Amino acid sequence: MKRAMFLGAALAAMALSGCGARQDLKPQKGEALPIAPYGAEKPPTAQELLKPSNQARPARSDELLRSSEERRSDDYDLPPN
């Protein structure tokens, strides 16, 4: 039982030891980054590939109501049956 607990603690320590590593991402040896998309002049860098697109993270488009404006009625805000 003690051996299993020690082994579990050792594995957890090894897993957590790599959490603080901050390095630039590079492709593995023998691998290359994806080819440039059609119409692009150069292939995207690793940082550009990690940046989410506008479709993946859309910007907030609704404007908050001001305190002096009245809220318009909501036809679907019905009481429960």
Side-chain angles (χ1 to χ4, degrees):
M1 183 66 168
K2 288 183 182 180
R3 185 177 291 170
M5 288 176 48
F6 176 74
L7 182 61
L11 288 174
M14 287 185 347
L16 290 176
S17 66
C19 288
R22 293 282 187 174
Q23 299 174 358
D24 289 340
L25 296 175
K26 301 178 250 187
Q28 293 181 351
K29 267 190 178 173
E31 298 290 325
L33 288 173
I35 60 171
Y38 181 76
E41 295 179 6
K42 63 179 181 74
T45 64
Q47 292 300 326
E48 291 171 344
L49 288 171
L50 287 174
K51 182 180 176 188
S53 67
N54 290 341
Q55 190 171 14
R57 289 190 168 225
R60 186 175 176 149
S61 61
D62 56 348
E63 187 176 320
L64 298 175
L65 293 174
R66 308 222 189 284
S67 60
S68 62
E69 296 175 355
E70 282 197 30
R71 189 180 297 260
R72 63 183 176 97
S73 65
D74 185 5
D75 297 334
Y76 297 101
D77 187 19
L78 302 174
N81 292 348

